[in-house]
Amino acid sequence: MQGTIDLAGDSHLRAARDQAQSIPLADFDVGNPELFKTDTFWPYFDRLRREEPVHYCKESMFGPYWSVTKYNDIMDIETNHAVFSSAASLGGITIRDVAPDLRRESFIAMDQPRHSAQRKTVAPMFTPTHLDQLATNIRKRSAECLDNLPVNEVFDWVDQVSIELTTQMLAVLFDFPWEERRKLTRWSDVATTIPGPGGLVATEEERQAELLECATYFARLWKERINQPPKSDLLSMMAHGEATRDMDPKNFLGNLILLIVGGNDTTRNTLSGSVYALNKNPDQYRKLRDNPDLIDSFVPEVIRWQTPLAHMRRTALEDIEFRGRQIRKGDKVVMWYVSGNRDEDVIDRPYEFIIDRARPRTHLSFGFGIHRCVGIRLAELQLKIIWEEILKRYDNIEVVGEPKRVYSSFVKGYETLPVRIAA
Ligand code: HEM
């Protein structure tokens, strides 16, 4: 079936499809994190793409917002940055507005010309030459992590592999004290969590207290780096960069969190998603095992399939008509990558996981336009090396239970994924 989720065997999805078909479009609230926690958002987006691709939700836990659900429409919003702003002062880049007193600027939540100037400061980290230098380190760490995995017993892939390897990578990028690297994981999780009972943090105050701890810790490292000659870590680059060395403390913390979350959650959830996707599609797993050269197209395919950031948001700077709908100045416009990546008008058999697609890089997972992810090459390199090392060692990473998913309509990922490696 093209462009509609295949429901065979998934009863929770069947119920969601009935629900998505029966309720009026006016009542749709696709940003509800519960739909993502239960993985039941798919049929809602299927219907929106078909019947009302640019949709207005009048009321939600995040206030009113527009949803843009088709691939090419998302590209149009992304490239019209003169009208659709990313500015933190207007609420930022996620469906959830950041409260005015908590707003921190980072270059992802900034418009031109300051955005480009700050982005340029960290860009040298991601050049092919620098990535070649990092590759040896990535391979060595991946091999060590994989060699130490338990065999013939169930363990959590998210914690032991995905979090561990992406956290290590981040510690390398920041030249962060190695033994304390899990602090980075914690700060990344806290930065994106929605506070609530039973959650990672119970209240917004707790969340802010932990982020302040992050800022204080990094401020100390910053002082060390600024008094040393420039080096090739991200902190040193910002401490010595012309556009960033005089940042105010809020902009400093904003950029830190951007780089921590950008480099952590996304690759982590794609790595967990890659094991899950191959288990759901054993024929593709076999294909990959038989021909490891397919890793080059498997990696972008899994990034599309997973779409680890479900959306990015913009705010309209003026009234504008878009696809026949009247968007008003100040309206929140959410670009649903997760839906664009299943748009059958652009992607052939979009619900299928096909590791040797003809054009695997046709996807929106990295965004588009001036804010397109700066870490693309690094993300792909990490996933490629890790999978090269996995295939050398283990025939089958078997998923033995359903994953526990994150309660968020922004970070689309996994809290746990139980697996077993057979001897
Ligand atoms: C921006 C996705 C890995 C750093 C973005 C955006 C997306 C994204 C959707 C916003 C694009 C837009 O608004 O048009 C991803 C995915 C990744 C990944 C899916 C992995 C699979 C990384 C890594 C880093 C990174 C490894 C760095 C260590 C950034 C930064 C930005 C960004 C700094 C802001 C760019 C700007 O505003 O100019 N990423 N990312 N990302 N990403 Fe990534």
Side-chain angles (χ1 to χ4, degrees):
M1 200 183 301
Q2 289 233 342
T4 305
I5 190 154
D6 175 9
L7 301 165
D10 284 329
S11 58
H12 73 296
L13 272 175
R14 204 165 302 119
R17 186 178 62 180
D18 292 346
Q19 172 89 349
Q21 239 1 87
S22 60
I23 65 173
L25 282 173
D27 295 342
F28 268 36
D29 172 17
V30 284
N32 180 353
E34 196 56 38
L35 294 177
F36 287 79
K37 174 91 189 153
T38 52
D39 196 38
T40 50
F41 55 88
W42 304 101
Y44 295 88
F45 284 111
D46 289 346
R47 186 163 167 215
L48 285 185
R49 283 196 307 279
R50 265 192 325 264
E51 297 179 28
E52 201 169 308
V54 179
H55 172 265
Y56 190 63
C57 171
K58 279 199 293 292
E59 215 181 286
S60 80
M61 66 191 282
F62 307 112
Y65 64 94
W66 289 96
S67 283
V68 181
T69 61
K70 296 277 289 176
Y71 193 105
N72 288 324
D73 290 349
I74 292 171
M75 303 262 275
D76 285 350
I77 302 280
E78 291 263 25
T79 44
N80 193 356
H81 51 264
V83 171
F84 296 103
S85 165
S86 299
S89 58
L90 299 175
I93 45 107
T94 64
I95 189 169
R96 182 163 63 123
D97 278 311
V98 183
D101 54 325
L102 301 176
R103 282 178 189 165
R104 286 176 290 263
E105 276 197 305
S106 63
F107 64 88
I108 200 171
M110 222 178 246
D111 292 331
Q112 300 295 59
R114 287 175 64 223
H115 159 261
S116 288
Q118 294 203 2
R119 178 179 164 118
K120 259 189 215 135
T121 308
V122 297
M125 176 59 82
F126 310 102
T127 58
T129 319
H130 194 236
L131 293 183
D132 278 351
Q133 291 163 15
L134 286 177
T136 315
N137 172 291
I138 297 173
R139 193 171 299 283
K140 181 171 160 284
R141 286 186 297 98
S142 305
E144 270 167 22
C145 174
L146 294 169
D147 283 340
N148 286 319
L149 291 178
V151 170
N152 278 340
E153 72 183 64
V154 176
F155 65 93
D156 180 17
W157 182 265
V158 173
D159 185 61
Q160 295 217 32
V161 185
S162 304
I163 291 184
E164 187 50 32
L165 283 178
T166 46
T167 302
Q168 288 184 8
M169 185 75 249
L170 218 49
V172 170
L173 296 181
F174 279 111
D175 195 11
F176 191 86
W178 195 250
E179 294 309 319
E180 299 208 278
R181 63 187 182 277
R182 283 275 173 144
K183 282 185 188 296
L184 294 167
T185 321
R186 174 75 192 175
W187 292 328
S188 170
D189 290 345
V190 167
T192 54
T193 196
I194 299 176
L200 215 51
V201 287
T203 62
E204 184 57 37
E205 288 69 38
E206 263 182 52
R207 202 172 85 92
Q208 289 308 317
E210 289 209 37
L211 295 180
L212 184 66
E213 188 202 315
C214 166
T216 312
Y217 194 107
F218 269 104
R220 183 169 55 75
L221 295 183
W222 175 282
K223 277 202 196 96
E224 284 170 20
R225 306 285 153 91
I226 197 126
N227 291 317
Q228 293 165 354
K231 295 190 300 169
S232 61
D233 67 87
L234 286 170
L235 208 51
S236 181
M237 281 177 185
M238 286 197 285
H240 292 276
E242 204 181 313
T244 44
R245 65 183 165 220
D246 298 321
M247 280 184 291
D248 68 47
K250 279 191 167 177
N251 190 181
F252 171 54
L253 180 59
N255 276 344
L256 277 178
I257 291 174
L258 163 61
L259 291 160
I260 293 173
V261 175
N264 195 24
D265 269 355
T266 49
T267 319
R268 173 207 304 184
N269 286 318
T270 310
L271 181 52
S272 304
S274 62
V275 172
Y276 189 53
L278 288 172
N279 270 262
K280 289 237 144 200
N281 299 274
D283 58 322
Q284 301 298 305
Y285 204 166
R286 248 188 320 274
K287 221 194 274 180
L288 185 65
R289 259 194 306 262
D290 290 348
N291 183 3
D293 286 348
L294 289 177
I295 288 180
D296 285 335
S297 52
F298 157 70
V299 165
E301 171 67 351
V302 86
I303 292 171
R304 178 192 74 87
W305 186 88
Q306 177 60 31
T307 318
L309 294 180
H311 76 264
M312 282 282 160
R313 163 260 176 108
R314 301 291 184 258
T315 308
L317 292 175
E318 56 190 61
D319 291 357
I320 183 169
E321 196 187 306
F322 186 75
R323 303 284 171 269
R325 307 300 304 268
Q326 191 58 53
I327 296 177
R328 303 261 169 227
K329 179 177 175 178
D331 282 358
K332 205 187 274 192
V333 179
V334 180
M335 306 173 290
W336 290 104
Y337 300 143
V338 80
S339 172
N341 279 344
R342 295 292 184 276
D343 185 346
E344 61 281 8
D345 288 344
V346 177
I347 296 164
D348 186 34
R349 294 181 287 159
Y351 270 104
E352 288 177 40
F353 179 68
I354 306 171
I355 66 164
D356 49 358
R357 276 185 185 274
R359 290 164 52 234
R361 284 192 173 73
T362 303
H363 67 71
L364 291 167
S365 298
F366 291 120
F368 195 70
I370 57 169
H371 287 281
R372 186 158 194 252
C373 178
V374 75
I376 296 176
R377 286 201 200 100
L378 176 62
E380 290 193 348
L381 180 71
Q382 283 182 80
L383 291 160
K384 176 178 153 76
I385 293 178
I386 294 167
W387 268 99
E388 281 170 358
E389 295 302 316
I390 292 175
L391 291 179
K392 274 186 211 163
R393 286 169 175 74
Y394 303 120
D395 242 16
N396 192 17
I397 316 276
E398 185 195 356
V399 171
V400 294
E402 277 301 300
K404 205 169 144 202
R405 293 166 197 275
V406 177
Y407 177 76
S408 168
S409 50
F410 179 58
V411 171
K412 182 173 160 291
Y414 310 89
E415 280 174 15
T416 56
L417 180 67
V419 300
R420 183 174 38 220
I421 299 173

